[in-house]
Amino acid sequence: KSVTISGPSSPLGVNQRQLAIGIYVAGVGCPIVAPGQPAQRTADLRLNDISNQTQGIHVENQGCARVSGNTLHSIQRAGGSSFGVLLYSASDNEISRNTMFGIGASGGIDSGLSLIQGASRNLITSNTISNNAGNGVTVFNKSSQNNVNLNTVRFNAVDLTDASDGSGNTWNLNNLCKTQAGSVPAGVCNPME
């Protein structure tokens, strides 16, 4: 909570770091609870400022984590693969009220927020993901039943992309964005966005 994490800044495209992750959490599933009871958080990553890394926050094989109120910016990696927040095979997490900008150098698979390798049942809400070289929010690789709602996602290469072969991802009608692709339904953005 409330940690500033940064590496040496470098001009766009000059970052030679192979892999630098601001915060990495992995390997803890949701605890078993009685029916009708909420699961306790396994990780709580809040109010951090992360910059000059190749990935801001990486959550892998993790459940019941909360990533909230963080500012992720100036995240880049020469050759692509930069992420503000990456959920890799991570399910039942909450990603909320984060601000992500200046993510990516090449625009390839760079993304403010990516869900890959079966990341499922995650709540993605009330984030501001704007002005990134790559995508805003991208769902890939059998990631399913994710709820993406009430986010402001604008001025990215593509704002919202559902390229998953999973099913049941929900894109709430209140999302604010300029573009969407894949199976993101038409009309999820406000008129004239």
Side-chain angles (χ1 to χ4, degrees), residues 140-185:
F140 285 121
N141 305 108
K142 300 183 181 176
S143 298
S144 63
Q145 300 175 31
N146 295 290
N147 187 355
V148 182
N149 67 62
L150 302 175
N151 299 287
T152 300
V153 187
R154 301 190 66 193
F155 307 114
N156 304 286
V158 176
D159 292 324
L160 301 175
T161 302
D162 190 343
S164 173
D165 45 5
S167 63
N169 293 311
T170 302
W171 302 84
N172 187 282
L173 294 175
N174 294 316
N175 286 349
L176 302 175
C177 62
K178 282 193 72 72
T179 60
Q180 65 253 17
S183 61
V184 176

Side-chain angles (χ1 to χ4, degrees), residues 21-106:
I21 301 173
I23 298 175
Y24 176 85
V25 294
V28 179
C30 291
I32 298 172
V33 296
Q37 298 298 313
Q40 293 183 347
R41 299 278 178 214
T42 56
D44 199 0
L45 312 174
R46 291 184 295 136
L47 306 173
N48 301 293
D49 186 295
I50 302 172
S51 63
N52 297 307
Q53 305 291 307
T54 60
Q55 295 179 16
I57 297 174
H58 183 125
V59 179
E60 184 171 342
N61 296 315
Q62 180 83 21
C64 294
R66 175 172 55 183
V67 177
S68 181
N70 300 286
T71 301
L72 304 123
H73 58 99
S74 305
I75 306 290
Q76 61 167 340
R77 181 177 183 183
S81 300
S82 299
F83 307 100
V85 175
L86 175 63
L87 298 181
Y88 184 97
S89 189
S91 298
D92 302 302
N93 300 289
E94 176 190 333
I95 312 300
S96 64
R97 297 185 302 282
N98 300 287
T99 301
M100 302 173 213
F101 61 91
I103 311 294
S106 67

Side-chain angles (χ1 to χ4, degrees), residues 83 85-88 109-116 136 138-140:
F83 307 100
V85 175
L86 175 63
L87 298 181
Y88 184 97
I109 60 169
D110 298 336
S111 185
L113 172 64
S114 280
L115 291 79
I116 65 174
T138 303
V139 181
F140 285 121

